[in-house]
Amino acid sequence: MIHKARALAAKTLSFIRNPWVSASTCLYKTHSEYAIPTQLGLALTHRCNITCPYCMRTKYLPPEGKMTLERVKQLMQRMKPYATGVCIMGLCEPLMNPETPDIIRWLKDEGKYQLSFTTNCTIPFTDDTLDALRRVDDMAVSIDTSDPETFRCLRGGAELEQVMTNLNRLLRYKRERGLNRLDRPPVHVNAVITSMNFHQIPGLIRMFEAYADQLTYLMVDPVTRPDYQDYEEPLMLQRGDFDRHIDEYRQLARKSPLNVIGLDYMLEASWNWRDCHLSWHSIFIEPNGDAYYCYSYDYVLGNVFKENPLAVWNSLRAKQFRRRLLSSEPPLKQCRTCNFARRGWQPGGTYYRTKRDVVG
């Protein structure tokens, strides 16, 4: 009885401190067609400086525009009662927006938001950039392979040496200040896996083993999902090749001092889209203000600069989307292969536990 009373008291205190988050969680758990966006996926520009062959930009270009600091302030003021976290991401390179460092500083120093940041790590980190990144709670760097030639092909002409120089500067910046891998910004590497670099996974793991005490983890994620584009050979990872080598790679990862995430569920089909928390908690916004669902960039729900963001997140299209999540036919075909439709990627699942263990 004492433990139950304490648990009830803790839940009550949590609700009092942030009733919006509690209400958002309740709507999610009951699979309501209504939702409250506590997390924001924010694209700071429509531009990118590389042309990766697997990127959706090959078929879909974001509307032109950029998020200025003033527009970010206006948006967050309108979402202030319920937004708690911001993930800077999208079909872009955020550091192509010259105001990005100031936006990061404002979001953390003034807004006190939980902050995530994704970069292709090709634009040199200036002192100003490094100072801003000290506010980031989770940072993803995109590096697909340890082979320079393959990297150049998969990363649209980018040079691996340039990216590693940039990454090393960031990690040196942390070391010089006595910061460990869990201090801001905790950095993880994301590798998009195709048929071109699947056999290079061992080399990628070995390359980053030298950084095992500085990186939170390496995540490998295959290009098999239609949330990118329809692929022709030889880019898509094939099942036969995968089956012949995956046990070897998993064994290598288990023995490595580096935390490797993704090999356990790679190529598995998804089916639990009804519990996709992004569809209730996370609104994604283009630099022109268009709101959409995760990777469905052309499924526009409304514009947050023309309408109230909460109204956009509960528009007819948004509610129809959530209703279809509860059916055997999800609203988007990528739901069938999306990581967030996997139990392990949903709150309390294996991926979240692993992330908490390595990020803190």
Side-chain angles (χ1 to χ4, degrees):
M1 288 296 294
I2 294 177
H3 293 300
K4 289 183 179 180
R6 286 177 177 171
L8 179 60
K11 288 183 179 180
T12 303
L13 182 60
S14 175
F15 182 84
I16 293 173
R17 285 176 175 170
N18 199 327
W20 285 100
V21 172
S22 299
S24 176
T25 301
C26 181
L27 292 171
Y28 163 64
K29 289 185 175 180
T30 58
H31 298 100
S32 169
E33 65 179 27
Y34 294 93
I36 299 172
T38 58
Q39 303 295 316
L40 171 63
L42 191 60
L44 297 184
T45 177
H46 67 283
R47 301 169 60 205
C48 189
N49 59 330
I50 59 177
T51 53
C52 304
Y54 50 71
C55 180
M56 280 189 69
R57 291 180 67 95
T58 59
K59 291 190 175 182
Y60 171 80
L61 289 178
E64 290 192 13
K66 71 174 183 179
M67 282 280 186
T68 64
L69 175 58
E70 285 307 311
R71 280 166 72 88
V72 170
K73 288 180 179 180
Q74 293 169 13
L75 174 60
M76 300 315 297
Q77 180 63 34
R78 300 172 72 188
M79 298 183 67
K80 190 173 182 179
Y82 44 85
T84 61
V86 178
C87 178
I88 297 174
M89 42 77 73
L91 292 180
C92 66
E93 170 46 52
L95 290 176
M96 295 194 73
N97 182 341
E99 291 191 72
T100 291
D102 288 334
I103 291 172
I104 291 174
R105 277 187 283 262
W106 183 86
L107 285 170
K108 177 58 72 173
D109 297 346
E110 302 295 328
K112 310 300 182 185
Y113 295 102
Q114 189 76 10
L115 196 58
S116 300
F117 185 79
T118 298
T119 177
N120 61 34
C121 209
T122 60
I123 297 177
F125 292 154
T126 65
D127 291 341
D128 188 45
T129 304
L130 293 170
D131 174 76
L133 292 176
R134 280 285 289 116
R135 277 87 168 165
V136 172
D137 299 291
D138 184 27
M139 180 172 172
V141 174
S142 300
I143 302 177
D144 297 339
T145 176
S146 60
D147 179 72
E149 184 177 348
T150 308
F151 184 90
R152 192 176 302 116
C153 178
L154 289 178
R155 301 303 293 175
E159 297 294 335
L160 178 60
E161 182 179 3
Q162 176 189 22
V163 171
M164 292 303 296
T165 296
N166 226 17
L167 175 61
N168 280 315
R169 183 174 184 200
L170 171 62
L171 298 178
R172 184 172 64 251
Y173 176 88
K174 290 185 63 175
R175 290 195 305 271
E176 289 172 351
R177 285 153 181 79
L179 304 173
N180 64 38
R181 70 188 186 102
L182 300 183
D183 291 321
R184 295 193 189 104
V187 181
H188 74 268
V189 173
N190 184 72
V192 178
I193 303 302
T194 70
S195 62
M196 293 182 65
N197 63 337
F198 176 65
H199 293 287
Q200 296 169 356
I201 288 178
L204 187 66
I205 292 175
R206 285 192 290 269
M207 180 174 77
F208 283 116
E209 283 181 344
Y211 299 82
D213 62 343
Q214 301 176 73
L215 300 174
T216 53
Y217 56 91
L218 165 67
M219 182 163 67
V220 289
D221 196 17
V223 170
T224 58
R225 307 193 306 267
D227 59 334
Y228 286 108
Q229 66 178 55
D230 296 323
Y231 292 102
E232 301 294 337
E233 291 284 6
L235 202 55
M236 180 179 283
L237 179 57
Q238 299 300 305
R239 169 63 68 174
D241 201 22
F242 171 83
D243 288 340
R244 283 191 292 271
H245 297 280
I246 189 59
D247 288 340
E248 172 193 346
Y249 297 170
R250 287 171 176 165
Q251 184 176 4
L252 175 65
R254 282 194 293 269
K255 294 179 179 179
S256 175
L258 181 71
N259 292 303
V260 182
I261 297 175
L263 290 173
D264 54 339
Y265 55 77
M266 189 179 285
L267 289 194
E268 287 186 6
S270 304
W271 56 272
N272 196 41
W273 46 79
R274 65 179 287 118
D275 289 329
C276 172
H277 56 288
L278 297 186
S279 302
W280 274 266
H281 294 309
S282 302
I283 185 172
F284 293 81
I285 297 176
E286 294 281 18
N288 73 334
D290 283 349
Y292 60 97
Y293 273 112
C294 81
Y295 298 108
S296 183
Y297 296 94
D298 54 355
Y299 194 94
V300 179
L301 306 175
N303 190 289
V304 295
F305 292 126
K306 299 175 182 178
E307 309 166 66
N308 185 296
L310 190 59
V312 170
W313 197 233
N314 288 280
S315 65
L316 178 61
R317 294 200 81 192
K319 291 186 289 187
Q320 288 174 338
F321 188 99
R322 294 187 196 102
R323 282 198 294 268
R324 287 202 53 191
L325 285 172
L326 306 183
S327 72
S328 59
E329 291 296 326
L332 304 170
K333 60 181 182 179
Q334 62 255 39
C335 295
R336 296 186 180 276
T337 47
C338 178
N339 284 332
F340 294 98
R342 305 179 193 277
R343 283 196 181 277
W345 270 63
Q346 290 162 3
T350 304
Y351 172 69
Y352 274 80
R353 290 198 302 273
T354 304
K355 252 189 114 175
R356 184 169 64 249
D357 290 342
V358 297
V359 178

